[in-house]
């Protein structure tokens, strides 16, 4: 928008503020919504706008007479068998021979209809009311009627909106500008408040820009530190014309429980902790494969840490307690080789009360029901949730601030947290959830749908919101939802110095949008910002049904990383969806598949173990497509030609496109899954060793290494398979290393109840619970693994060509010892290798094994210096031997070991 045009709009808004159409009293309405003109008529939205001119009605009679009715006050009633009532008028549509645009290829067949050229100029105004498509009989009676999904028209009519750079509140010296994209609103006003809870002090009409669809107002003073809401009049199906009191989708902060948006200039000095402008992330990541990530929940980190002052527990401020147990743990990991903390969602959440949230105090027997009963009773009012429930994408969550009522506090404390982690030697990433919102429609905590109804979410054939991601799916294929996502990521990069992002269910985003986002955040940071995410392929977008997805296979070549389930499932056994006896029967590579069967696992044939070993080798090779592997049947195939279900096992172009993990916040922890799958006779000390095997496979794998916080302290959630809303009790971490919280009650009934009969005996078995010495062993062994990975770029090679040329597996093929993974990596001439070569071996068996490699005969190999150090955690690894004459290694049971050549 030109400065002249902006000034004209602002002047118009100012001129009308003294006699605003919205009364000042409306701003203090205790209700979030007022119905201005009621209508109870409801219709599906089965028709779809393709652009500003064309629409289609899938499944409709191509020869029928169809008209487009409109009403400014949303009063249309179109009942079959009766004539349309309440309309201001109707437009005649023409049949069109146009084909469906690629964007709408998923739609079923139906007639394509076109507006008459003379009516095009009216459509911007008509979209600000109600539009109903009606098939009529010869006498004008309704045969069928439908609303029309609006995104295609709005994206075409208001394409210029993508260029708006100042959505939200923009305070400057002497003035404050507000801008809201609401092209279908009848009118918009802004209510301003001097405080977080006081009455409104002013209301200003906003002026509509017909070019962008945005509303603008300018107040002639700097409102920094004050609060605001919009009053948006929109047509709503089944309600009529509605006035929504709603916060800003572009809010940068809010007051308690997100009741009001906060006016702030994020560049203002008062919002920067001392040293903020100078803070820099540690320069530990030169390539994406250098990333070693620890996934951490802000509240989990400190809520159970008595070394943190009570008022800082569960808060951003806890990261500033440099001497706390938790911070000492993180600093030790950073010294060992951890590069990144990835925080579970820290944007404004919809599910956690920011004031007076419940803090239940469960108690009971190891296999008791009382703990989960109390947790479930307060699940929706307690202080805990993972946070995959976005309310405002651009604002820090208030429950993690020491004072959620103060919009400035959460900004300052978030930034201070970033600085504290930088000082600890760690970069800061965050989990973002742009694939859905907490809620939609006309609910109080719905923001987007109450500003532009029906636009921001992905709709099904009937116009209902798709919910394949668990919640109300957003439609980032739509121009302004993609813009919101990209603008938001840029804000976190620019104003909070976020170093990397982890995208929840990223496969529901278009690849094109993710690549645009990558360019924007890189520009904002002045360097490359790493993007990783869940590239799962499912739901209404599966297999490219609506667009080229940001999914595992479709991101190939983009440089954006996706989580790999290949080695994950082979290591753990079974799959994330298992329940009942399958959770026990389907053992994995590290917990006894074939070689150490549990009570239900004896049926597995040897070939299952061989296949699992090969799938883990796929992960160790970075899942890159061209790498050739000799498989268990003796054939040699590229990873892209090895089947993983109906997909290729090797799917990535480069190793940085793969994120390797064996545990994250989802599903049971690794310790808990091993509880179910290891034979009951397995000692607590051996269970700790099995945990280390899983961590080692991840550490030795090419690509990004990703770990869940507490994996190194044998973290248990008492067998809970989905702890997103299980409260502090089932999500605790003990940074004093005395307890892993196994056997603290049956996990919540909602997701686990059907398996309680199976779980109870495990939880009641005291022999399973680790002793502090077992926890200390896993903790220290993990740090040794981090140090080994950090010691050489051979564990994190930069390119696929490097992997193809330098990584060689031995003990493969038909004659292999399937319980031993063994590899040689050639380090000659490789920058940062630090060794002429490295050989790693992982023996998951309960007995020692000897495996050989003829190509290593005559070489002089020795234990990695980390293993050989006096303080090395795993004393069993020191017993491993290499015989130069035969080129063979002897590896003790349940041991991961690395040998190096100088």
């Amino acid at each position: 928008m030109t400065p002249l045009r902006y000034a004209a709009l602002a002047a118009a808004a100012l001129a009308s503020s003294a006699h605003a159409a919205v009364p000042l009293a409306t701003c203090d309405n205790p209700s979030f919504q007022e119905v201005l003109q009621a209508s109870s008529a409801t219709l599906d939205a089965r028709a779809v706008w393709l652009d500003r001119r064309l629409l289609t009605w899938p499944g409709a009679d191509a020869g029928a007479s169809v008209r487009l009715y409109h009403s400014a006050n949303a009063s249309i009633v179109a009942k079959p068998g009766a004539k349309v009532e309440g309309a201001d008028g109707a437009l005649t549509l023409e049949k069109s021979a146009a084909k469906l645009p690629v964007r709408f290829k998923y739609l079923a067949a139906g007639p394509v209809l076109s507006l008459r050229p003379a009516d095009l100029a009216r459509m911007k105004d008509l979209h600000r009311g109600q539009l109903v498509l009606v098939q009529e009989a010869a006498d004008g009676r309704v045969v069928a009627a439908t609303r029309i999904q609006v995104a295609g028209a709005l994206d075409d009519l208001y394409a210029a909106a993508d260029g708006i750079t100042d959505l939200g509140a923009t305070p400057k010296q002497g003035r404050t500008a507000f801008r809201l994209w609401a092209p279908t609103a009848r009118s918009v006003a802004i209510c301003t408040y001097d405080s977080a809870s006081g009455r409104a002090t002013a209301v200003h009409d906003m002026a509509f820009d017909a070019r962008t669809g945005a509303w603008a107002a300018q107040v002639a003073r700097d409102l920094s530190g004050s609060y605001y809401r919009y009053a948006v009049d929109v047509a709503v199906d089944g309600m009529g014309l509605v006035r929504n009191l709603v916060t800003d989708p572009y809010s940068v902060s809010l007051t308690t429980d997100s009741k009001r948006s906060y006016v702030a200039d994020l560049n203002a000095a008062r919002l920067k902790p001392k040293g903020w402008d100078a803070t820099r992330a540690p320069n530990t990541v030169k390539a994406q494969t250098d990333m070693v990530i620890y996934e951490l929940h802000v509240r989990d980190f400190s809520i159970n840490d008595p070394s943190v002052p009570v008022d800082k527990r569960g808060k951003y401020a806890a990261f500033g307690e440099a001497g706390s147990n938790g911070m000492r743990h993180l600093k030790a990991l950073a010294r060992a080789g951890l590069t990144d903390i990835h925080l579970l969602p820290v944007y404004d959440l919809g599910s956690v009360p920011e004031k007076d949230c419940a803090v239940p105090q469960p108690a009971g027997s190891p296999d008791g029901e009382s703990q989960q009963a109390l947790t479930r009773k307060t699940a929706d009012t307690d202080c805990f949730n993972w946070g995959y429930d976005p309310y405002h994408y651009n604002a820090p969550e208030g429950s993690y601030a020491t004072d959620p009522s103060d919009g400035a506090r959460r900004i300052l404390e978030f930034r201070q947290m970033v600085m504290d982690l930088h000082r600890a030697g760690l970069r800061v990433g965050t989990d973002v959830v742009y694939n859905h919102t907490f809620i939609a429609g006309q609910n109080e905590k719905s923001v987007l749908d109450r500003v532009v109804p029906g636009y921001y979410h992905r709709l099904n054939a009937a116009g209902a919101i798709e919910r394949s991601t668990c919640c109300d799916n957003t439609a980032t294929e739509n121009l302004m939802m993609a813009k919101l996502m990209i603008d938001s990521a840029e804000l976190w990069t620019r104003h909070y110095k976020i170093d990397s992002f982890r995208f929840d269910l990223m496969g529901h985003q278009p690849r094109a949008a993710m690549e645009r986002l990558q360019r924007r955040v890189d520009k904002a940071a002045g360097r490359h910002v790493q993007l990783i995410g869940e590239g799962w392929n499912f739901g209404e977008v599966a297999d490219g049904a609506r667009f080229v997805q940001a999914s595992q296979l479709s991101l190939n070549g983009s440089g954006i990383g996706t989580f790999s389930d290949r080695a994950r499932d082979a290591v753990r056994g079974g799959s994330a969806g298992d329940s009942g006896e399958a959770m026990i029967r389907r053992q994995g590579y590290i917990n006894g598949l074939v070689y150490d069967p549990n009570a239900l696992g004896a049926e597995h044939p040897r070939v299952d173990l061989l296949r699992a070993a090969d799938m883990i080798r796929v992960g160790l090779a970075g899942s890159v497509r061209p790498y050739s592997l000799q498989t268990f049947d003796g054939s040699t195939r590229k990873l892209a030609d090895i089947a993983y279900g109906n997909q290729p096992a090797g799917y990535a172009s480069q190793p940085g496109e793969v994120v390797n993990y064996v545990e994250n916040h989802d599903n049971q922890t690794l310790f808990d899954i091993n509880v179910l799958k290891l034979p009951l006779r397995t000692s607590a000390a051996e269970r700790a060793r099995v945990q280390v095997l899983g961590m080692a496979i991840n550490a030795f794998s090419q690509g990004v290494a990703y770990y869940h916080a507490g994996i190194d302290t044998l973290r248990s959630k008492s067998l809970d398979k989905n702890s997103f809303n299980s409260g502090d009790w089932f999500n605790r971490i003990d940074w004093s290393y005395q307890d892993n919280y196994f056997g603290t009650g049956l996990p919540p009934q909602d997701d686990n109840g059907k398996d309680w009969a199976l779980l109870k005996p495990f939880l009641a078995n005291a022999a399973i619970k680790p002793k502090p010495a077992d926890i200390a062993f896993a903790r220290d062994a993990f740090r040794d693994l981090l140090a080994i990975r950090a010691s050489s770029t051979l564990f994190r090679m930069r390119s696929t060509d490097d992997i193809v040329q330098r990584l060689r597996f031995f003990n493969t093929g038909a004659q292999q010892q399937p319980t031993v993974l063994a590899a040689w990596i050639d380090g000659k001439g490789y920058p940062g290798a630090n060794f002429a070569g490295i050989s790693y071996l992982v023996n998951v068996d309960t007995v020692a094994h000897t495996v050989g490699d003829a190509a290593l005969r005559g070489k002089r190999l020795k234990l990695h210096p980390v293993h050989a150090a006096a303080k090395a955690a795993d004393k069993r690894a020191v017993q491993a031997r290499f015989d130069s004459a035969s080129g063979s290694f002897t590896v003790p049971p349940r041991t991961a070991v690395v040998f190096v050549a100088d």
Side-chain angles (χ1 to χ4, degrees):
M1 181 181 296
T2 64
L4 186 62
R5 184 170 179 78
Y6 182 93
L9 287 169
L14 281 170
S16 63
S17 63
H19 48 85
V22 175
L24 183 62
T26 296
C27 298
D28 296 314
N29 189 335
S31 173
F32 62 91
Q33 191 173 71
E34 177 185 357
V35 177
L36 302 178
Q37 182 156 334
S39 172
S40 59
T42 61
L43 289 169
D44 288 343
R46 297 186 177 274
V48 179
W49 284 103
L50 305 176
D51 56 27
R52 70 178 67 198
R53 183 176 62 93
L54 299 174
L55 55 85
T56 183
W57 190 346
D61 181 356
S65 173
V66 179
R67 291 208 294 172
L68 181 65
Y69 283 85
H70 55 89
S71 166
N73 293 320
S75 56
I76 295 173
V77 177
K79 294 181 179 179
K83 292 190 176 182
V84 174
E85 299 177 358
D88 297 334
L91 306 181
T92 300
L93 301 174
E94 299 174 341
K95 302 294 190 299
S96 172
K99 304 296 183 184
L100 291 182
V102 173
R103 173 179 175 180
F104 296 105
K105 63 181 180 178
Y106 64 91
L107 294 174
V112 175
L113 306 168
S114 174
L115 293 167
R116 292 178 174 178
D119 291 328
L120 283 174
R122 304 179 58 191
M123 290 312 299
K124 286 188 175 183
D125 184 61
L126 296 185
H127 276 293
R128 294 169 63 189
Q130 180 188 26
L131 294 172
V132 176
L133 196 60
V134 180
Q135 178 188 338
E136 296 177 327
D139 62 358
R141 297 182 184 274
V142 176
V143 175
T146 180
R147 291 181 295 114
I148 314 162
Q149 298 180 26
V150 74
L154 298 187
D155 285 354
D156 188 17
L157 287 167
Y158 300 106
D162 190 44
I164 300 174
T165 60
D166 62 347
L167 288 168
T170 308
K172 294 185 178 179
Q173 186 174 2
R175 64 181 176 87
T176 302
F178 297 90
R179 193 179 303 278
L180 176 72
W181 190 71
T184 61
R186 294 301 301 169
S187 68
V188 181
I190 185 163
C191 301
T192 57
Y193 309 80
D194 287 344
S195 67
S197 57
R199 298 183 68 82
T201 52
V203 59
H204 304 271
D205 283 340
M206 301 182 77
F208 183 65
D209 178 13
R211 188 177 73 91
T212 63
W215 297 75
Q218 185 166 287
V219 178
R221 64 189 182 97
D222 184 348
L223 294 176
S224 292
S226 63
Y227 297 83
Y228 67 104
R229 287 193 295 179
Y230 295 114
V232 183
D233 294 358
V234 286
V236 177
D237 182 57
M239 294 184 71
L241 188 63
V242 173
R243 174 166 293 159
N244 281 318
L245 278 176
V246 61
T247 46
D248 195 332
Y250 275 71
S251 299
V252 296
S253 191
L254 302 114
T255 188
T256 306
D257 292 329
S258 310
K259 297 293 187 181
R260 296 173 182 176
S261 300
Y262 181 69
V263 179
D265 174 6
L266 294 178
N267 289 313
R270 73 182 194 89
L271 295 177
K272 297 178 180 179
K274 184 178 180 181
W276 173 250
D277 287 335
T279 190
R280 296 290 183 272
N283 189 24
T284 50
V285 175
K286 308 295 193 300
Q288 189 139 314
T289 51
D290 287 336
M291 294 179 76
V292 183
I293 298 168
Y294 203 59
E295 178 198 49
L296 183 63
H297 186 276
V298 169
R299 185 171 174 85
D300 287 353
F301 172 64
S302 60
I303 194 62
N304 191 49
D305 189 347
S307 66
V308 174
V310 173
D311 63 334
K312 295 183 179 180
R313 292 180 198 169
K315 308 295 184 182
Y316 302 125
F319 292 89
E321 294 297 310
S324 71
N325 293 337
M327 283 307 296
R328 285 189 294 167
H329 185 85
L330 295 188
K331 285 186 281 189
L333 293 179
R335 288 193 297 270
L338 190 75
T339 63
D340 286 61
I341 293 296
H342 262 208
L343 300 169
L344 266 70
V346 286
Y347 49 67
D348 183 51
L349 317 179
S351 60
V352 177
E354 293 181 352
K355 181 181 180 183
D356 299 329
C357 54
V359 185
Q361 301 294 324
S365 63
D367 61 343
E369 298 182 22
S370 61
Q371 300 94 323
Q372 67 84 37
L374 183 57
T375 297
R376 290 175 70 231
K377 184 177 180 180
T378 60
D380 296 332
T381 57
D382 72 0
C383 307
F384 180 89
N385 197 285
W386 278 348
Y388 292 86
D389 47 5
Y391 194 175
H392 296 87
Y393 286 114
N394 298 351
E397 164 60 9
S399 69
Y400 300 147
T402 55
D403 182 2
S405 70
D406 180 357
R409 187 69 62 88
R410 63 184 77 183
I411 297 170
L412 283 161
E413 291 180 351
F414 191 109
R415 286 172 161 174
Q416 184 63 56
M417 173 185 67
V418 171
M419 291 176 64
D420 293 334
L421 286 167
H422 285 174
R423 289 181 184 131
L426 294 161
R427 297 167 11 117
V428 183
T430 186
D431 202 331
V432 287
V433 187
Y434 296 113
N435 60 81
H436 63 243
T437 55
F438 175 59
I439 209 160
Q442 293 302 300
N443 293 280
E444 182 176 6
K445 290 189 176 183
S446 169
V447 178
L448 301 177
D449 240 2
R450 294 206 296 130
V451 174
V452 192
Y455 175 82
Y456 282 100
H457 293 86
R458 189 172 296 131
L459 308 178
N460 65 18
I465 296 173
E466 295 278 9
R467 304 189 87 248
S468 58
T469 66
C470 85
C471 310
D472 295 306
N473 295 1
T474 56
T476 37
E477 62 269 33
N478 296 348
L479 180 74
M480 295 303 282
M481 185 59 222
K483 176 178 172 59
L484 175 55
M485 177 176 75
I486 295 167
D487 288 349
S488 177
E490 180 183 5
L491 180 146
W492 289 108
T493 303
R494 183 182 304 280
H495 292 294
Y496 293 96
K497 304 191 178 184
I498 295 301
D499 300 300
S500 59
F501 292 92
R502 183 257 191 208
F503 286 78
D504 183 62
L505 299 181
M506 184 173 62
H508 273 57
Q509 320 296 1
R511 170 174 169 154
M514 289 300 301
E515 290 180 319
R516 286 175 56 205
L517 186 151
Q518 179 77 78
R519 293 190 291 270
R520 284 275 294 279
V521 295
D522 286 358
K523 183 178 180 181
R527 55 168 177 77
H528 183 60
V529 174
Q530 288 77 27
L531 306 183
I532 63 173
E534 292 179 304
W536 315 133
N537 175 39
F538 71 98
E540 72 282 355
V541 300
D543 301 321
R546 298 200 181 203
F547 44 75
V548 177
Q549 301 158 259
S551 59
Q552 282 179 335
L553 300 185
S554 299
L555 277 173
N556 170 47
S558 69
I560 298 171
T562 60
F563 287 84
S564 176
D565 45 354
R566 276 67 167 162
R568 178 202 70 187
D569 287 350
V571 166
R572 292 168 63 96
S575 69
D578 287 348
S579 61
E581 290 187 348
M583 294 190 298
I584 301 170
R585 180 183 297 110
R586 300 181 69 189
Q587 288 178 271
Y589 188 70
I590 66 171
N591 51 42
L593 177 64
V594 177
Y595 62 89
D596 193 18
N598 61 38
L600 299 177
E603 66 191 46
H604 292 286
R606 184 172 184 269
V607 71
D608 286 356
L609 178 60
L610 291 164
R611 286 196 176 99
D614 276 353
M615 202 54 62
I616 291 173
R617 292 182 183 105
V618 169
L620 289 165
S623 301
V624 292
R625 292 171 179 251
Y627 185 85
S628 292
L629 174 69
Q630 184 188 37
T631 58
F632 72 90
D633 60 3
S635 64
T636 299
R637 288 179 284 170
K638 292 181 178 179
L639 301 190
D641 298 326
I642 298 173
Y644 176 73
N646 61 357
Q647 295 186 347
Y651 66 88
S653 290
Q654 298 295 334
E657 294 175 352
V658 171
V659 181
N660 300 300
Y661 72 117
V662 293
E663 173 184 324
N664 75 344
H665 63 274
D666 287 319
N667 314 121
Q668 296 95 340
T669 67
L670 183 60
F671 180 88
D672 284 346
I673 207 69
N674 287 338
V675 165
L676 299 174
K677 296 180 187 295
L678 282 167
L680 277 176
R681 65 179 180 277
T682 310
S683 69
E686 286 295 293
R687 291 174 186 275
R689 296 196 68 84
V690 172
Q691 185 96 349
V692 173
L693 296 176
M695 296 188 292
I697 289 171
N698 220 32
F700 298 160
S701 295
Q702 303 296 327
V704 175
Y706 194 95
Y707 296 96
H708 183 215
I711 189 174
D712 50 329
T713 61
L714 305 182
R715 183 179 186 179
S716 170
K717 298 180 180 179
S718 211
L719 305 183
D720 192 351
K721 66 169 60 174
N722 187 17
S723 71
F724 83 102
N725 201 21
S726 299
D728 296 328
W729 184 258
F730 291 98
N731 287 282
R732 286 175 294 171
I733 306 176
D734 179 10
W735 299 128
S736 70
Y737 317 122
Q738 300 304 298
D739 199 342
N740 79 331
Y741 298 113
F742 175 75
T744 54
L746 281 163
Q749 186 175 34
D750 308 71
D751 290 302
N752 306 276
K754 63 184 177 182
D755 295 321
W756 273 1
L758 284 171
L759 303 182
K760 282 175 73 74
F762 290 104
L763 293 169
N765 188 341
I768 293 174
K769 193 174 181 70
K771 298 177 177 61
D774 303 321
I775 296 172
F777 165 72
R779 174 199 67 201
D780 295 343
F782 180 61
R783 294 175 188 178
D784 285 353
L785 289 169
L786 294 181
I788 288 170
R789 183 176 174 93
S791 71
S792 176
T793 51
L794 296 179
F795 290 111
R796 40 200 168 86
M797 287 186 275
R798 276 42 184 150
S799 74
T800 293
D801 287 345
D802 295 338
I803 296 171
V804 169
Q805 293 167 13
R806 294 178 179 273
L807 174 64
R808 177 174 53 80
F809 293 107
F810 56 97
N811 183 42
T812 60
Q815 304 304 314
Q816 68 179 275
Q817 171 46 253
T819 56
V820 180
L821 304 167
W824 168 258
I825 312 176
D826 179 15
K828 291 179 181 177
Y830 197 69
N834 294 330
F835 304 104
I838 285 176
S839 188
Y840 62 76
L841 301 102
V842 182
N843 177 14
V844 298
D845 209 343
T846 58
V847 296
H849 285 291
T850 298
V851 298
D853 181 16
L856 295 180
R857 289 174 185 166
K859 287 191 177 292
R860 298 179 61 185
L861 302 182
K862 62 183 181 181
L863 283 172
H864 192 287
V866 170
H867 288 312
K871 293 183 178 180
D874 190 355
K875 304 306 181 186
R876 195 180 288 182
V878 181
Q879 302 169 19
R881 296 288 181 265
F882 172 68
D883 181 66
S884 179
S886 62
S888 63
F889 298 85
T890 300
V891 188
R894 286 184 172 143
T895 298
V897 64
V898 177
F899 288 83
V900 298
D902 291 332

